[in-house]
Amino acid sequence: MRSDIMQAGMLADALARQALAVCRYYLPSGRKQGRYWICGDVYGNPGRSLFIRISGRRAGKWCDAATGEYGDLLDLIMLNRGLGFRGTLAEARSFLHMPRLPEPPVTSPHENPDVYDPVAAARRLFAASVSITGTLAERYLDSRGIELTQDHTALRFHPQCYYRNETGFEVWPAMIAAVTDLGGVITGIHRTWLDPVTFDKAPVAQPRRALGQLLGHAVHFGQLGDIAIAAEGLETALTLKMLFPNLPVFAALSAAHLGALTLPDSLQRLYVARDNDPAGWRAFNRLRSRHADRDIHALVPRLNDFNADLNTFSPDPVRQWIAGQLLPEDVPQFVSCS
């Protein structure tokens, strides 16, 4: 898996250098406009909500304004072709005419100081952050109705986190979430920039951004066992962890990454707390089709997501709503956690 992660980074960089060719091949109905390729969605439908950067420092990065999904060109290929993690790597190698990607050499960071390593940068930022307890980040979550459980070591707070805008950098406080693989190794982070005046998200164009390798990984709350809950967003996952504190919950951070999650062999049943929109349905169906040998069930909120439900209906009604969607044999285990 570590080799796959390293190859994914190399492939993503190689695809970014050919971003225009990637877009023309996988999204032929789109069109070039300035530094972007514009299309309807990651499946290639006509429209103007999907923006892929095809030149410059952020070449290969994309965002769908209609769904909020974002990622790099590996993520786009995975969604466009409906592939799993390793299938996506194989497809990318085929596109790049790379039948085999060699193992990258193990070098000291001092041997190549000019090469930017986003995974290493993510680990440094997480290490430089502090405990979330008593910080602006905890107050932000409290404003979303979320009380942190004791198992929140994946969350930290950085009081002065750089935010890159179109002209340079700004500095805002940020909640930092560690994205890890199944072995607990940090592969990336997710940043939520915050406004110290309103205790809400910072007034910037993209108050949420990821750094590092997210594909297949997640933010984990609790030790994975034979039953777990997966969610799209961080606030949704934290809502579910608060309602069912003894159950492991993990956040994929977007619908695109939810469909690409890597599941542990020990997991026997997975409940997927998807958002109540078309992207959420597609992510759930993609995850279930990729893991056809697993027992996977959807949990559907009343509103757009379970955090919206929590703030509208309060904890007990939301807990009861979820219990009504569980298999009968799981109800005692879920309800006893409340």
Side-chain angles (χ1 to χ4, degrees), residues 184-195:
V185 177
I186 294 178
T187 64
I189 58 166
H190 184 269
R191 296 157 292 180
T192 304
W193 281 276
L194 304 172
D195 187 338

Side-chain angles (χ1 to χ4, degrees), residues 55-56 127 131 137 155 175 223 302:
S55 63
S131 170
L155 297 178
M175 178 170 66
Q223 185 67 35
R302 296 184 186 182

Side-chain angles (χ1 to χ4, degrees), residues 244-255:
F244 307 105
N246 293 336
L247 285 174
V249 180
F250 48 98
L253 301 175
S254 75

Side-chain angles (χ1 to χ4, degrees), residues 14-215:
L15 290 168
R17 290 192 290 269
Q18 301 185 39
L20 181 58
V22 173
C23 293
R24 284 175 170 162
Y25 182 78
Y26 290 99
L27 306 170
S29 67
R31 63 187 179 88
K32 182 177 179 293
Q33 183 173 319
R35 294 182 294 179
Y36 293 90
W37 187 266
I38 300 176
C39 194
D41 55 32
V42 294
Y43 306 104
N45 294 313
R48 292 183 53 83
S49 67
L50 180 67
F51 294 82
I52 306 103
R53 187 72 174 263
I54 57 175
S55 63
R57 184 185 60 83
R58 292 185 59 78
K61 301 298 184 182
W62 59 268
C63 179
D64 191 329
T67 66
E69 294 177 306
Y70 59 90
D72 59 23
L73 291 176
L74 272 180
D75 298 315
L76 189 143
I77 291 172
M78 176 199 70
L79 295 168
N80 183 272
R81 292 295 193 256
L83 300 169
F85 179 59
R86 290 186 175 175
T88 301
L89 299 185
E91 172 70 18
R93 287 194 292 267
S94 176
F95 174 84
L96 294 165
H97 305 292
M98 297 167 61
R100 176 179 172 273
L101 192 66
E103 292 286 340
V106 178
T107 61
S108 166
H110 302 292
E111 295 178 26
N112 204 0
D114 295 328
V115 175
Y116 176 70
D117 183 346
V119 175
R123 291 170 179 167
R124 287 195 299 269
L125 184 57
F126 190 76
S129 303
V130 300
S131 170
I132 194 174
T133 304
T135 66
L136 174 63
E138 186 177 40
R139 188 160 184 175
Y140 161 73
L141 292 175
D142 183 67
S143 73
R144 303 291 296 263
I146 297 169
E147 296 179 9
L148 290 176
T149 66
Q150 61 181 0
D151 189 1
H152 58 261
T153 54
L155 297 178
R156 288 190 181 181
F157 174 72
H158 198 293
Q160 294 183 310
C161 186
Y162 285 107
Y163 173 85
R164 182 185 289 274
N165 56 32
E166 290 297 322
T167 59
F169 290 96
E170 304 174 39
V171 176
W172 293 90
M175 178 170 66
I176 311 295
V179 178
T180 59
D181 62 17
L182 295 178
V185 177
I186 294 178
T187 64
I189 58 166
H190 184 269
R191 296 157 292 180
T192 304
W193 281 276
L194 304 172
D195 187 338
V197 176
T198 65
F199 311 119
D200 202 347
K201 291 185 289 292
V204 294
Q206 292 179 299
R208 304 174 190 268
R209 284 180 181 172
L211 175 66
Q213 292 293 333
L214 272 66
L215 195 63

